[in-house]
Structures are given as C-alpha cells and as structure tokens.
Amino acid sequence: MINEKVTVKTFQQMKDEKEKITMTTAYSYPLACIIDEVGIDSILVGDSLGMTVLGHKNTLNVVLEDSIRITKAVSRGVKRAFLIGDLPFLTYGINVEETKRNAGLLVKKGDCEAVKLEGGKERLEEVEAIKSIGVPVLGHLGLTPTYLNIFGGFKVQGKKHDDAEIILKDAKLLEEAGVFAIVLESIPWKLAQQITEELSIPTIGIGAGEFCDGQVLVIDDILGLNVQFKPKFVKQYTNLRESVKKAVTEYSDEVKSGKFPSEEFRYD
Ligand code: KIV
C-alpha cells in the first residue's frame, strides 16, 4: 500500500505499476474516517447518495447543494484517500460555463480534489473546461445512472457489438479530453478488459469484471445496508442491517422492561 497521500498522480502510477486501485463511496464523516483509516485509495461521494442517504428511487433528484454538503462532511474525515465529488444530474450538460462553475463550487465548498461526471463524446468540451480551472475529472461510462430513462432501467450496457464500439470510442475520446481515469459500470468483462488494455489512464470497474485497474463499490452494498436491490456485481461483506436491527431491538426491549438505564449509566 502507498503510504503517502493519494493524488491524481498516484492513480497513474498505480496503473503503470499494475497495483490495483481501491475506491468506495462514502456519505458521512464517521464512515469516511473508517474507510480512510483502512487505507482505501479513493473515496467517491457518489450521486448514489440520492438513493442511499436521501431515499430517492434514483439519482435524478440530487441537487448540487446535497452533493456539496455531504462531500464536505466526508472531507472532514479524509486524510489519505483521494476524494472525488460527483456532479449531479443537470449540474452539467446545459452549457460549458455552468458546468465549469458547478464543478468549481463542488471543489471549493465540498473540499474534494476532483469531480466525476457521466457520459462520453457529449462531455468532451466540459471535461476540458473543468480541467482548465484546475479540477481533475473522472469519467463514467456504461450504465450511467442519470441515463436511466434512456436505457429503460438499470441494465447492463455494451452487450451488442455496436454499443460496445461506442463505449470503447467514448473511453478513448474521454482520455484524449484529459480525464484522469474512467469508471466503467455494468459492462461485459471482455469489453472492460479491452478498454483497460487500450487506454493509458486507469479504469475503475463496478460490475465490469476483474481486469479493470481498480474497483469501486457503494459502501452501503459492502456493508449490507441496502435492501432495495442487489445487482449481480455486488459482494456484501457484512450484514450491518441485521446488526443494527438486533442492537436497536435490544435497546428498545431494555427501555420497555426497565433494564436500561441501570445504575451504572446514571449520575449521582
Ligand atoms: O454515484 C455513485 O456512487 C457512482 C459509483 C457507483 C461509481 O457513480
């Protein structure tokens, strides 16, 4: 594990040295502290916060203020990891000036070190504009959740030859435009492998197989907090939902029965 602060340069170094890049999402100060302490290389405050934290059915309702507030909270817990904020739906894609301003605001007020946005060839000008004010950009291709209504649901992308070609081409165009890495979400592993081999910047996979340069998972999925839906690519490493249920039930039972608070928990 690289001991010093992870930067955008570390990402490239890790690809070049074939060291896998680890990334999780985070949405709160306490979890950010734990994730950072463990040595995860990068933390993404994804617009998935709309679903995990705010309870929306998808990410489309997230506004810039949500992302700024939550990214700022996470930033207070991060010392080593590279912190990336996620530009929500409609904070880009309108015009380049607005995109640049919104990216700048997320960094300025959210205290992150880079931003992510979704999309391929339609984003090139915006990527360059964001970089021009000094903000590194992470791309995102494949199952890009803000395109949910175009895709007709959360479906694997790039299965057909022509669709795969478009994703590969978009990846190359994004690299040329200057993104420092690209998230590949829910695409066939062979396509992700080809993109990873043909690009010189790192790929970060989520549901894109083992050949990507790094992996990202939503922290709620890792911890077993998400019960709404579980895509095939999610590996749940613990069941916090059950632990929380057990603890809160025990607390409630003890209050009802008068067992808590006992003498040791009171002041004289
Ligand atoms: O919003 C998010 O959490 C993401 C990751 C799943 C890549 O975009």
Side-chain angles (χ1 to χ4, degrees):
M1 186 180 98
I2 292 163
N3 284 323
E4 68 262 28
K5 170 86 185 90
V6 179
T7 70
V8 72
K9 298 285 179 205
T10 323
F11 267 64
Q12 193 59 50
Q13 186 190 333
M14 290 173 88
K15 169 145 186 156
D16 297 342
E17 292 173 4
K18 299 193 179 344
E19 180 179 343
K20 293 280 186 186
I21 300 163
T22 55
M23 184 187 289
T24 71
T25 65
Y27 316 101
S28 71
Y29 168 76
L31 273 183
C33 291
I34 299 168
I35 294 166
D36 190 62
E37 206 178 294
V38 164
I40 288 289
D41 299 312
S42 180
I43 295 178
L44 169 70
V45 185
D47 61 355
S48 49
L49 69 88
M51 298 161 87
T52 54
V53 177
L54 302 177
H56 296 305
K57 65 178 191 303
N58 56 48
T59 60
L60 297 175
N61 302 102
V62 177
V63 293
L64 187 61
E65 288 66 29
D66 297 330
S67 298
I68 288 175
R69 179 157 296 197
I70 293 179
T71 305
K72 180 71 194 171
V74 168
S75 78
R76 294 187 189 107
V78 177
K79 293 195 182 88
R80 176 188 169 274
F82 187 64
L83 182 61
I84 304 164
D86 204 2
L87 285 169
F89 178 58
L90 272 198
T91 60
Y92 56 95
I94 306 300
N95 64 58
V96 173
E97 288 308 304
E98 254 187 69
T99 302
K100 206 159 56 166
R101 171 173 298 279
N102 289 331
L105 284 173
L106 187 50
V107 170
K108 192 183 182 89
K109 296 187 175 178
D111 247 338
C112 54
E113 297 159 290
V115 300
K116 177 173 83 58
L117 45 64
E118 299 177 7
K121 67 173 185 306
E122 66 279 23
R123 294 280 94 81
L124 305 180
E125 238 190 295
E126 290 167 286
V127 168
E128 283 169 11
I130 297 171
K131 269 197 82 183
S132 78
I133 56 164
V135 177
V137 185
L138 175 64
H140 188 164
L141 294 171
L143 172 52
T144 42
T146 55
Y147 288 73
L148 167 80
N149 293 320
I150 299 263
F151 297 150
F154 291 104
K155 294 183 177 146
V156 179
Q157 300 297 305
K159 283 184 127 178
K160 292 197 193 120
H161 178 75
D162 287 357
D163 297 338
E165 284 292 307
I166 291 172
I167 295 174
L168 175 61
K169 203 166 161 204
D170 277 347
K172 289 181 176 173
L173 290 170
L174 282 174
E175 174 170 33
E176 267 171 49
V179 299
F180 69 89
I182 302 178
V183 170
L184 299 175
E185 179 163 353
S186 296
I187 61 170
W189 67 267
K190 279 189 181 165
L191 173 60
Q193 182 183 31
Q194 186 185 2
I195 296 172
T196 303
E197 283 170 4
E198 293 191 20
L199 295 191
S200 36
I201 55 166
T203 59
I204 311 293
I206 173 163
E210 68 273 37
F211 295 104
C212 295
D213 298 304
Q215 296 291 329
V216 56
L217 276 181
V218 168
I219 193 67
D220 292 46
D221 290 338
I222 294 176
L223 301 179
L225 282 170
N226 173 19
V227 281
Q228 265 92 4
F229 88 119
K230 187 169 176 287
K232 184 179 178 205
F233 61 76
V234 165
K235 181 166 178 187
Q236 186 184 310
Y237 285 83
T238 187
N239 194 338
L240 266 198
R241 191 166 190 272
E242 279 315 307
S243 304
V244 171
K245 261 168 104 172
K246 187 166 172 292
V248 177
T249 304
E250 219 174 298
Y251 161 72
S252 172
D253 290 348
E254 289 194 0
V255 171
K256 296 273 186 200
S257 68
K259 190 174 172 194
F260 178 84
S262 52
E263 287 175 12
E264 65 187 297
F265 297 104
R266 70 184 187 190
Y267 296 107
D268 290 325

CSV table of all heavy atoms in Angstrom, one decimal, residues 118-119 122 140-158 163 167 185-186:
chain,number,residue,atom,x,y,z
A,118,GLU,N,-20.9,11.9,-15.8
A,118,GLU,CA,-21.3,10.8,-16.7
A,118,GLU,C,-21.3,11.2,-18.1
A,118,GLU,O,-21.8,12.3,-18.5
A,118,GLU,CB,-22.6,10.2,-16.2
A,118,GLU,CG,-22.6,9.7,-14.8
A,118,GLU,CD,-24.0,9.2,-14.3
A,118,GLU,OE1,-24.9,9.2,-15.2
A,118,GLU,OE2,-24.2,9.0,-13.1
A,119,GLY,N,-21.0,10.2,-19.0
A,119,GLY,CA,-21.2,10.5,-20.4
A,119,GLY,C,-19.9,10.4,-21.2
A,119,GLY,O,-18.8,10.5,-20.6
A,122,GLU,N,-20.3,13.5,-25.7
A,122,GLU,CA,-21.1,14.8,-25.5
A,122,GLU,C,-20.5,15.6,-24.3
A,122,GLU,O,-20.9,16.7,-24.1
A,122,GLU,CB,-22.5,14.4,-25.2
A,122,GLU,CG,-22.8,13.6,-24.0
A,122,GLU,CD,-22.6,12.1,-24.1
A,122,GLU,OE1,-21.8,11.7,-25.0
A,122,GLU,OE2,-23.2,11.4,-23.3
A,140,HIS,N,-17.2,8.5,-16.6
A,140,HIS,CA,-18.1,7.4,-16.1
A,140,HIS,C,-18.8,6.9,-17.4
A,140,HIS,O,-19.6,7.7,-17.9
A,140,HIS,CB,-19.0,7.9,-15.0
A,140,HIS,CG,-19.9,6.9,-14.4
A,140,HIS,ND1,-20.5,7.1,-13.2
A,140,HIS,CD2,-20.2,5.6,-14.7
A,140,HIS,CE1,-21.2,6.0,-12.8
A,140,HIS,NE2,-21.0,5.1,-13.8
A,141,LEU,N,-18.6,5.7,-17.8
A,141,LEU,CA,-19.3,5.1,-19.0
A,141,LEU,C,-20.0,3.8,-18.6
A,141,LEU,O,-19.7,3.2,-17.6
A,141,LEU,CB,-18.2,4.9,-20.1
A,141,LEU,CG,-17.5,6.1,-20.7
A,141,LEU,CD1,-16.4,5.7,-21.6
A,141,LEU,CD2,-18.5,6.9,-21.5
A,142,GLY,N,-20.8,3.3,-19.6
A,142,GLY,CA,-21.5,2.1,-19.4
A,142,GLY,C,-22.9,2.4,-18.8
A,142,GLY,O,-23.6,3.2,-19.4
A,143,LEU,N,-23.3,1.7,-17.7
A,143,LEU,CA,-24.5,2.0,-17.1
A,143,LEU,C,-24.4,3.3,-16.3
A,143,LEU,O,-24.0,3.3,-15.1
A,143,LEU,CB,-25.0,0.8,-16.2
A,143,LEU,CG,-26.2,1.1,-15.4
A,143,LEU,CD1,-27.4,1.6,-16.2
A,143,LEU,CD2,-26.7,-0.2,-14.6
A,144,THR,N,-24.6,4.4,-16.9
A,144,THR,CA,-24.5,5.7,-16.2
A,144,THR,C,-25.9,6.0,-15.7
A,144,THR,O,-26.9,6.3,-16.5
A,144,THR,CB,-24.1,6.8,-17.3
A,144,THR,OG1,-24.7,6.6,-18.5
A,144,THR,CG2,-22.6,6.6,-17.5
A,145,PRO,N,-26.1,6.0,-14.4
A,145,PRO,CA,-27.4,6.1,-13.8
A,145,PRO,C,-28.3,7.3,-14.2
A,145,PRO,O,-29.5,7.2,-14.2
A,145,PRO,CB,-27.2,6.0,-12.3
A,145,PRO,CG,-25.9,5.3,-12.2
A,145,PRO,CD,-25.1,5.8,-13.3
A,146,THR,N,-27.7,8.4,-14.6
A,146,THR,CA,-28.6,9.6,-14.9
A,146,THR,C,-29.2,9.3,-16.3
A,146,THR,O,-30.1,10.1,-16.7
A,146,THR,CB,-27.8,10.9,-14.9
A,146,THR,OG1,-26.7,10.8,-15.8
A,146,THR,CG2,-27.4,11.3,-13.5
A,147,TYR,N,-28.7,8.3,-17.0
A,147,TYR,CA,-29.3,8.0,-18.3
A,147,TYR,C,-30.4,6.9,-18.2
A,147,TYR,O,-30.8,6.3,-19.2
A,147,TYR,CB,-28.3,7.6,-19.4
A,147,TYR,CG,-27.4,8.7,-19.8
A,147,TYR,CD1,-26.5,9.3,-19.0
A,147,TYR,CD2,-27.6,9.3,-21.1
A,147,TYR,CE1,-25.7,10.4,-19.4
A,147,TYR,CE2,-26.8,10.3,-21.6
A,147,TYR,CZ,-25.8,10.9,-20.7
A,147,TYR,OH,-25.1,11.9,-21.1
A,148,LEU,N,-30.7,6.6,-17.0
A,148,LEU,CA,-31.6,5.5,-16.6
A,148,LEU,C,-32.9,5.4,-17.5
A,148,LEU,O,-33.3,4.4,-18.0
A,148,LEU,CB,-32.1,5.7,-15.2
A,148,LEU,CG,-33.2,5.0,-14.6
A,148,LEU,CD1,-32.7,3.6,-14.2
A,148,LEU,CD2,-33.7,5.7,-13.3
A,149,ASN,N,-33.5,6.6,-17.8
A,149,ASN,CA,-34.7,6.6,-18.6
A,149,ASN,C,-34.5,6.4,-20.1
A,149,ASN,O,-35.4,6.0,-20.8
A,149,ASN,CB,-35.5,7.9,-18.3
A,149,ASN,CG,-36.0,8.0,-16.9
A,149,ASN,OD1,-36.4,7.0,-16.4
A,149,ASN,ND2,-35.8,9.2,-16.3
A,150,ILE,N,-33.2,6.6,-20.5
A,150,ILE,CA,-32.9,6.3,-21.9
A,150,ILE,C,-32.7,4.8,-22.0
A,150,ILE,O,-33.1,4.2,-23.0
A,150,ILE,CB,-31.6,7.1,-22.3
A,150,ILE,CG1,-31.8,8.6,-22.2
A,150,ILE,CG2,-31.1,6.6,-23.7
A,150,ILE,CD1,-32.1,9.3,-23.5
A,151,PHE,N,-32.0,4.3,-21.0
A,151,PHE,CA,-31.7,2.8,-21.0
A,151,PHE,C,-32.9,1.9,-20.7
A,151,PHE,O,-32.9,0.7,-20.9
A,151,PHE,CB,-30.6,2.5,-20.0
A,151,PHE,CG,-29.3,3.2,-20.2
A,151,PHE,CD1,-28.4,3.5,-19.2
A,151,PHE,CD2,-28.8,3.5,-21.5
A,151,PHE,CE1,-27.2,4.1,-19.4
A,151,PHE,CE2,-27.6,4.1,-21.7
A,151,PHE,CZ,-26.8,4.4,-20.7
A,152,GLY,N,-34.0,2.6,-20.1
A,152,GLY,CA,-35.1,1.8,-19.8
A,152,GLY,C,-34.9,0.9,-18.5
A,152,GLY,O,-35.4,-0.2,-18.4
A,153,GLY,N,-34.1,1.5,-17.6
A,153,GLY,CA,-33.8,0.8,-16.3
A,153,GLY,C,-32.4,0.6,-16.1
A,153,GLY,O,-31.5,0.9,-16.9
A,154,PHE,N,-32.0,0.0,-15.0
A,154,PHE,CA,-30.6,-0.3,-14.6
A,154,PHE,C,-30.2,-1.6,-15.3
A,154,PHE,O,-30.3,-2.6,-14.8
A,154,PHE,CB,-30.5,-0.4,-13.1
A,154,PHE,CG,-30.7,0.9,-12.3
A,154,PHE,CD1,-31.9,1.1,-11.6
A,154,PHE,CD2,-29.7,1.8,-12.3
A,154,PHE,CE1,-32.1,2.2,-10.9
A,154,PHE,CE2,-29.9,3.0,-11.6
A,154,PHE,CZ,-31.1,3.2,-10.9
A,155,LYS,N,-29.8,-1.4,-16.6
A,155,LYS,CA,-29.5,-2.6,-17.4
A,155,LYS,C,-28.0,-2.6,-17.8
A,155,LYS,O,-27.4,-1.5,-18.1
A,155,LYS,CB,-30.3,-2.6,-18.7
A,155,LYS,CG,-31.8,-2.8,-18.3
A,155,LYS,CD,-32.6,-2.9,-19.6
A,155,LYS,CE,-34.1,-3.1,-19.2
A,155,LYS,NZ,-35.0,-2.5,-20.1
A,156,VAL,N,-27.4,-3.8,-17.9
A,156,VAL,CA,-26.1,-3.9,-18.4
A,156,VAL,C,-25.9,-3.3,-19.8
A,156,VAL,O,-26.8,-3.5,-20.6
A,156,VAL,CB,-25.7,-5.5,-18.5
A,156,VAL,CG1,-24.2,-5.6,-19.0
A,156,VAL,CG2,-25.8,-6.1,-17.1
A,157,GLN,N,-24.9,-2.6,-20.0
A,157,GLN,CA,-24.7,-1.8,-21.3
A,157,GLN,C,-23.5,-2.5,-22.1
A,157,GLN,O,-22.7,-3.2,-21.5
A,157,GLN,CB,-24.3,-0.4,-21.0
A,157,GLN,CG,-25.4,0.4,-20.3
A,157,GLN,CD,-26.7,0.4,-21.1
A,157,GLN,OE1,-26.8,0.9,-22.2
A,157,GLN,NE2,-27.8,0.0,-20.4
A,158,GLY,N,-23.5,-2.2,-23.4
A,158,GLY,CA,-22.4,-2.7,-24.2
A,158,GLY,C,-22.4,-4.1,-24.6
A,158,GLY,O,-21.3,-4.7,-24.9
A,163,ASP,N,-22.9,-1.2,-29.6
A,163,ASP,CA,-22.9,-0.5,-28.3
A,163,ASP,C,-21.5,-0.6,-27.7
A,163,ASP,O,-21.0,0.4,-27.1
A,163,ASP,CB,-23.9,-1.1,-27.4
A,163,ASP,CG,-25.3,-0.9,-27.9
A,163,ASP,OD1,-25.5,0.0,-28.8
A,163,ASP,OD2,-26.2,-1.7,-27.5
A,167,ILE,N,-18.9,2.5,-26.6
A,167,ILE,CA,-18.3,2.7,-25.3
A,167,ILE,C,-16.8,2.8,-25.4
A,167,ILE,O,-16.1,3.7,-24.8
A,167,ILE,CB,-18.8,1.6,-24.3
A,167,ILE,CG1,-20.3,1.7,-24.1
A,167,ILE,CG2,-18.0,1.7,-23.0
A,167,ILE,CD1,-20.9,0.6,-23.3
A,185,GLU,N,-19.1,1.0,-15.6
A,185,GLU,CA,-20.2,0.4,-14.8
A,185,GLU,C,-21.0,-0.5,-15.6
A,185,GLU,O,-21.5,-0.2,-16.7
A,185,GLU,CB,-21.1,1.5,-14.2
A,185,GLU,CG,-22.2,1.0,-13.3
A,185,GLU,CD,-22.8,2.0,-12.4
A,185,GLU,OE1,-22.4,3.1,-12.3
A,185,GLU,OE2,-23.8,1.6,-11.8
A,186,SER,N,-21.2,-1.7,-15.1
A,186,SER,CA,-22.1,-2.7,-15.6
A,186,SER,C,-21.9,-2.9,-17.2
A,186,SER,O,-22.8,-2.7,-17.9
A,186,SER,CB,-23.6,-2.4,-15.3
A,186,SER,OG,-23.8,-2.4,-14.0
